[in-house]
Amino acid sequence: MSRMCEGRVVVVTGGGRGLGRAHALAFAAEGARVVVNDLGVGLNGTPVADSPARHVVDEIRAAGGDAVAHGGDVATSAGAESLVEAALETYGRLDTLVNNAGFLRDRMLVNLDEDDWDAVVRVHLKGHFLPLKHAAAHWRAEAKAGRAPAARIVNTSSGAGLLGSLGQGNYSAAKAGIVGLTLVAAAEFARYGVQVNAIAPAARTRMTERAFAETMTAPEAGFDAMAPQNVSPLVVWLGSAASDGVTGRVFEVEGGRITVMEGWRAGPTADKGARWTPQEAGEAAVKLLGEAGVPGAVYGA
């Protein structure tokens, strides 16, 4: 039986560790040729000596797959452009982009430095936008040349971006921004044959091991619900031609559970047909809140 991604070329940012590594290995196992991007930095974004991307490439090749490493900074235009060029120069095509790169600098908002805000928003949000932009420019050119691609983008949001997370205002804002970016990109890129979706994964990685330390339990019957490999099957499907017609969606993925997340939509509404007084507006708001659903709790609250 043919593998799901046979012949496809897939780029994975932040592919050296955790979820990115799991995604890269899973795509390779399904026949994809993989460009593994990782800047090779620590949890807080500072440089480290070793190249995690190279290790993942070695793993893929040892298993009989095909992969190359890319060490550029995808939160720069030059780095993102060179990532797309690496796929085209090495394999002659690009089919799927998985945006996954990120790191944390957690602080309560009143203690959060401007530099920590900028750094986290930069790598998560700008680091999604720039690879997405350069990949889409290539696919637009292909579509205009009559070679309509079956292209896929999978972005990485988070439950923190959907509900908020105490001590992670910068991370939550960036991950919420990724959802908005996904929705706009899905609408804009559809004409070029590009589908754009996002996941909000929960898994044990360098970024989450401390958060999960108090709640994790031992795996039962050999199933580790927090293993990052649990998230990758959906990512592989979203990144394959088999997901035709699925775009502009956000999926929460944890263990063996997949949930289609339903975002902001109109709830209870009141329309006076004229301008409210402040007192009337307040009375109407209280009535509407009584009819509305209770929002999910902020993580850590």
Side-chain angles (χ1 to χ4, degrees):
M1 186 172 68
S2 178
R3 294 179 293 180
M4 182 172 285
C5 292
E6 201 74 58
R8 291 180 72 82
V9 174
V10 177
V11 166
V12 181
T13 72
R17 300 183 178 93
L19 284 167
R21 171 181 173 273
H23 299 339
L25 294 173
F27 273 108
E30 289 294 333
R33 293 166 288 175
V34 186
V35 180
V36 183
N37 162 267
D38 203 292
L39 188 55
V41 297
L43 180 60
N44 65 352
T46 56
V48 296
D50 206 4
S51 170
R54 171 55 57 188
H55 291 311
V56 176
V57 167
D58 290 343
E59 285 187 78
I60 291 172
R61 291 177 177 174
D66 193 352
V68 295
H70 178 271
D73 182 356
V74 296
T76 67
S77 187
E81 185 175 14
S82 73
L83 177 60
V84 173
E85 289 173 352
L88 298 177
E89 291 173 2
T90 306
Y91 298 119
R93 60 184 297 139
L94 173 61
D95 300 287
T96 299
L97 167 65
V98 179
N99 282 316
N100 173 75
F103 59 74
L104 297 177
R105 293 188 184 176
D106 292 352
R107 300 282 190 281
M108 291 295 189
L109 288 171
V110 294
N111 297 322
L112 185 64
D113 291 336
E114 184 178 354
D115 288 346
D116 292 333
W117 173 276
D118 290 344
V120 168
V121 171
R122 174 186 179 275
V123 72
H124 286 278
L125 191 50
K126 193 175 181 182
H128 270 62
F129 159 63
L130 288 172
L132 176 152
K133 171 187 175 179
H134 287 286
H138 164 69
W139 289 322
R140 179 181 62 181
E142 288 291 286
K144 288 184 175 181
R147 298 183 295 270
R152 307 286 186 261
I153 298 174
V154 184
N155 292 330
T156 306
S157 184
S158 168
L162 303 177
L163 296 173
S165 179
L166 293 185
Q168 294 189 310
N170 48 3
Y171 177 75
S172 296
K175 289 303 192 183
I178 287 168
V179 172
L181 177 65
T182 298
L183 301 179
V184 173
E188 291 187 356
F189 299 166
R191 72 191 71 178
Y192 311 131
V194 184
Q195 295 180 183
V196 189
N197 295 284
I199 59 166
R204 183 182 56 256
T205 68
R206 289 192 307 164
M207 289 173 54
T208 61
E209 60 186 359
R210 285 180 294 179
F212 290 153
E214 296 180 359
T215 59
M216 283 191 300
T217 58
E220 297 181 7
F223 178 59
D224 180 358
M226 287 290 99
Q229 291 82 358
N230 299 329
V231 177
S232 300
L234 178 64
V235 175
V236 170
W237 181 78
L238 288 171
S240 75
S243 63
D244 185 43
V246 179
T247 194
R249 294 288 193 166
V250 179
F251 297 85
E252 192 172 61
V253 195
E254 177 182 349
R257 178 174 59 84
I258 297 172
T259 304
V260 177
M261 304 303 289
E262 297 182 337
W264 294 106
R265 62 185 65 212
T269 304
D271 184 355
K272 181 182 176 181
R275 182 180 300 132
W276 303 89
T277 67
Q279 182 171 339
E280 289 173 336
E283 291 170 352
V286 169
K287 182 176 183 295
L288 293 173
L289 288 169
E291 300 170 1
V294 178
V298 173
Y299 286 103

